Amino acid sequence: MLHIHNSLTKQKELFTSIVPGKVKLYVCGMTVYDFCHVGHARVMVVFDVVTRYLKASGYEVNYIRNITDIDDKIIARANERNETIQKLTERFVSEMHQDADALGALRPDAEPKATESIAVMLVMIETLISKGLAYNAVNGDVYFDVSEFPNYGKLSGRNIEELRAGERVAVNEAKNDPMDFVLWKAAKPGEPAWESPWGKGRPGWHIECSAMSAHCLGEHFDIHGGGMDLQFPHHENEIAQSEGAHGCQSVNYWMHNGFVRIDDEKMSKSLGNFFTVREVLKQYQAEVVRYFILTSQYRSPLNYSDEQLEQAKNSLTKFYSALRDAKADESIIWQNNEEYGSRFKAAMDDDFNTALALSVMADVRQALNKVSEQGDLEQQGYLAGLLHSFGDVLGLFQQDTEAFFDSIKGDDVEIIKALIAARNKARDDKDWAKADQVRDELKAKGVVLEDAAGKTSWRRK
RNA sequence: GGCUGCGUGGCAGAGUGGUCAUGCAGCGGAUUGCAAAUCCGUUAACGCCGGUUCGAUUCCGACCGCAGCCUCCA
């Protein structure tokens, strides 16, 4: 039985979908004005695993992840670059897809864009005004009236008084209350704008998610995810908008993933301490990055460092080594395995505990190595198939093993093969000095050899 | 200042009121021409101080330290 930590109640709760057998999932996606960094990679990978596991558990999943393609930063960046907003955002949408695909994140079922959803937002804002939850201010903006929504703060555990006390933003004179937030921004000269009942303008950030989630999934859906930093104010405001407009609970389970950190500090665009996915992928294979992300439970902080990535690489390499010479039985389904399958299920059912799930897989790997050593081909095929079946849930072992070992750019494979052949000739001649010399030469090229009975295999270090 | 959360062995990271996490690294052995990989064995931890308990790393309280949110951020 799947249990999910619900940010709304701060507890692990038994997961029950609204419609039996179906899960409606919405995740806050990227604002597209720059390359994705490792923090974004974590969101993509975490919710990819969530959808994969829900599917493996028998659910039909409708996974929506939005794209924010209009906001202050996008406008600023486009101006800086002397590029149209559309060109800029289209470019980074495509870059984002490239990163997500590389990381093995399956595409969401839909990726609605803010600029293509203005109409549904306008309808929602009008509803909020007609219900007395929003007002058109003197400056032309439309604000949500926080004082009219009694549950404000229920997600982030705050109350309006505390927030006012900690208020750090310059007070906007047009607002009735500093905590009110903008639904519609009146157009400023030179900015992109859409027609609305309140004059030309553009949407505030929060309204897009309320409008698009309801539009794609309905007013009441199962899971809403995103990074921890979105909990307040973004998701708090979404709740106010959605529940205010629709008069019903909008989301049953809120899931928030922890941050990626560097030197114990949050990786973020504003701190400038981020690595883009693109940069990291030059150094490490995508599955290594994915493995690294899955080594910790999704709510824990994840420290980014070369040492961590190296560890992930070593661990993943061991899995591929174990799989290398085994002929996996593709028909194996992990759910049918009592010994390991039940442990894997228990781990994943416990709020997607991928770290624990990986430890179960490490046990399978060891068992696989043992039967390989014993030459038990049937068990070997079974356990390799089992490992692949687990891997499919986590999005690991998706590559051909030889491709994995050869995937870091380096010398031509033919040269390596020729050297190995030369060394094996020397070994046959018991010319150990020559054999070792060739091996050292290969080692200098970053190629590690493994002699097995009658066969020498190699991998790049 | 307010509100969240965290503190586990050299590193990473699960978990538990009283016998095993796991991975990487280390050490000993098997294997190997020597290695590598693999297998077997093995060392080592639960921030600090109190309390509850027969017994606490695990529950409760204080303290210290760290992080996040309160402003754009996944």
Side-chain angles (χ1 to χ4, degrees), chain A residues 38-43 45-46 228 257-267 288-305 308-309 312 354-355:
Chain A
V38 181
H40 299 118
R42 191 175 193 190
V43 182
V45 169
V46 162
M228 208 91 112
N257 65 275
F259 299 124
V260 175
R261 296 191 199 167
I262 293 180
D263 296 331
D264 288 324
E265 215 177 33
K266 175 185 174 184
M267 177 185 287
V288 170
V289 178
R290 194 174 168 103
Y291 189 97
F292 159 70
I293 288 170
L294 297 177
T295 53
S296 85
Q297 208 270 349
Y298 75 90
R299 285 185 291 119
S300 305
L302 180 61
N303 228 33
Y304 180 92
S305 70
Q308 292 314 303
L309 268 294
T354 50

Side-chain angles (χ1 to χ4, degrees), chain A residues 30 36-37 39-49 63 65 96 99-101 103 105-106 277 290:
Chain A
M30 263 48 81
C36 293
H37 63 232
H40 299 118
R42 191 175 193 190
V43 182
M44 296 193 268
V45 169
V46 162
F47 287 99
D48 181 56
V49 168
Y63 174 25
R65 187 177 63 203
M96 174 191 78
D99 289 338
D101 292 348
L103 289 166
L106 305 172
V277 172
R290 194 174 168 103

